[in-house]
Amino acid sequence: MGLLDKLFGKTKENETMSNVNLAVVFYSMSGTNYQLAKWAEEGAKAAGAEVKVLKVEELAPESVIEGNEAWKNTVEATKDVPVATSDDLEWADAIIFSVPTRFGNMPSQMKQFLDIQGGLWANGKTINKVVSGMTSAQNPHGGQEATLLSLYTSMMHWGAIIATPGYTDPVIFGSGGNPYGTSVTVDQDGKMVEDVEGAVKHQAKRTVTIAEYVKKGQQ
Ligand SMILES: Cc1cc2nc3c(=O)[nH]c(=O)nc-3n(C[C@H](O)[C@H](O)[C@H](O)COP(=O)(O)O)c2cc1C
């Protein structure tokens, strides 16, 4: 392995990966975070992980969703995606969360999901999960880092191991350069502004790799 590979955390080409279970848990109102979740799935599968893509339960009243075309379309597009459960988290060695920024915070739907994991937490089942977060926002400085920090605050209470991308690969610079986790700006038409597909896949691979180190270390 060359010096640059070491600096950017590249694995050796012939390195075999033990099987890591990864849950990608997302909330999405207009499809962005669903797309980020699917890219994470691709990246993690390419890294040899067993992957489940899961949504959190919708909490908004039907009457509100009905009046919003993009929201209705996302509900339809994700209707066959299973709702995440505590059992899924117990199964997972690693979890990637993907959430839109809501007033500089995670959406209540994701907060509710975290808040109903008290039983899992009380039984020590959240300890040593390797976790990482992704987000989107309408503005380039609309609170992305704050959203990820809100998620990571809860993860510290879980005893989880937070695996951020940092600047571990050149692809991060091209995607907007958020070391807290991949984040993307979404324009008025709901289109992603930065090209973050590579950064998401790198983050997924890195999360799987770190989970693999943790799993091997525990054996
Ligand atoms: C209630 C609400 C609050 C929002 N707050 C912010 C915000 O603080 N900063 C920002 O840039 N965008 C904000 N947005 C825009 C969303 O972050 C953006 O629509 C979202 O990232 C798109 O993700 P999705 O397609 O997965 O739903 C807000 C949107 C809503 C509906």
Side-chain angles (χ1 to χ4, degrees):
M1 221 179 350
L3 180 62
L4 272 180
D5 288 343
K6 278 186 189 154
L7 277 175
F8 290 127
K10 294 245 170 78
T11 49
K12 290 177 207 157
E13 266 171 45
N14 60 354
E15 200 169 48
T16 51
M17 289 197 163
S18 64
N19 212 4
V20 163
N21 292 339
L22 174 86
V24 184
V25 182
F26 73 94
Y27 176 73
S28 187
M29 190 179 120
S30 49
T32 314
N33 286 273
Y34 180 38
Q35 178 61 71
L36 297 181
K38 287 191 287 188
W39 283 334
E41 176 187 29
E42 277 180 47
K45 279 187 172 163
E50 193 78 34
V51 185
K52 288 185 188 179
V53 176
L54 306 157
K55 65 185 177 193
V56 295
E57 209 163 5
E58 183 55 83
L59 301 177
E62 284 270 331
S63 56
V64 177
I65 299 171
E66 270 305 299
N68 184 313
E69 212 49 44
W71 204 341
K72 273 199 301 189
N73 291 342
T74 305
V75 170
E76 176 61 23
T78 58
K79 69 176 191 302
D80 295 328
V81 177
V83 172
T85 65
S86 298
D87 286 346
D88 292 318
L89 296 188
E90 193 170 343
W91 165 87
D93 304 301
I95 310 159
I96 295 178
F97 294 96
S98 195
V99 286
T101 290
R102 288 272 184 276
F103 307 126
N105 217 311
M106 76 177 96
S108 57
Q109 289 85 346
M110 183 60 79
K111 185 64 167 59
Q112 158 89 343
F113 176 68
L114 298 183
D115 288 352
I116 58 176
Q117 305 311 324
L120 203 69
W121 171 85
N123 287 305
K125 299 277 177 61
T126 57
I127 294 169
N128 291 346
K129 301 287 179 191
V130 173
V131 298
S132 204
M134 308 189 289
T135 190
S136 63
Q138 192 183 327
N139 305 283
H141 304 286
Q144 291 86 335
E145 284 91 343
T147 299
L148 292 171
L149 286 174
S150 74
L151 180 73
Y152 294 156
T153 297
S154 296
M155 293 303 104
M156 286 189 252
H157 290 250
W158 278 20
I161 298 165
I162 301 167
T164 61
Y167 293 104
T168 51
D169 191 279
V171 75
I172 292 160
F173 297 100
S175 69
N178 191 338
Y180 296 58
T182 307
S183 64
V184 68
T185 317
V186 184
D187 69 17
Q188 296 284 3
D189 301 322
K191 295 219 163 46
M192 294 193 208
V193 176
E194 303 89 6
D195 178 4
V196 296
E197 181 177 348
V200 170
K201 289 181 176 171
H202 168 71
Q203 185 173 351
K205 181 184 175 191
R206 178 171 158 78
T207 307
V208 169
T209 304
I210 295 171
E212 184 204 342
Y213 297 158
V214 172
K215 218 174 165 179
K216 273 188 186 154
Q218 286 174 331
Q219 281 162 1

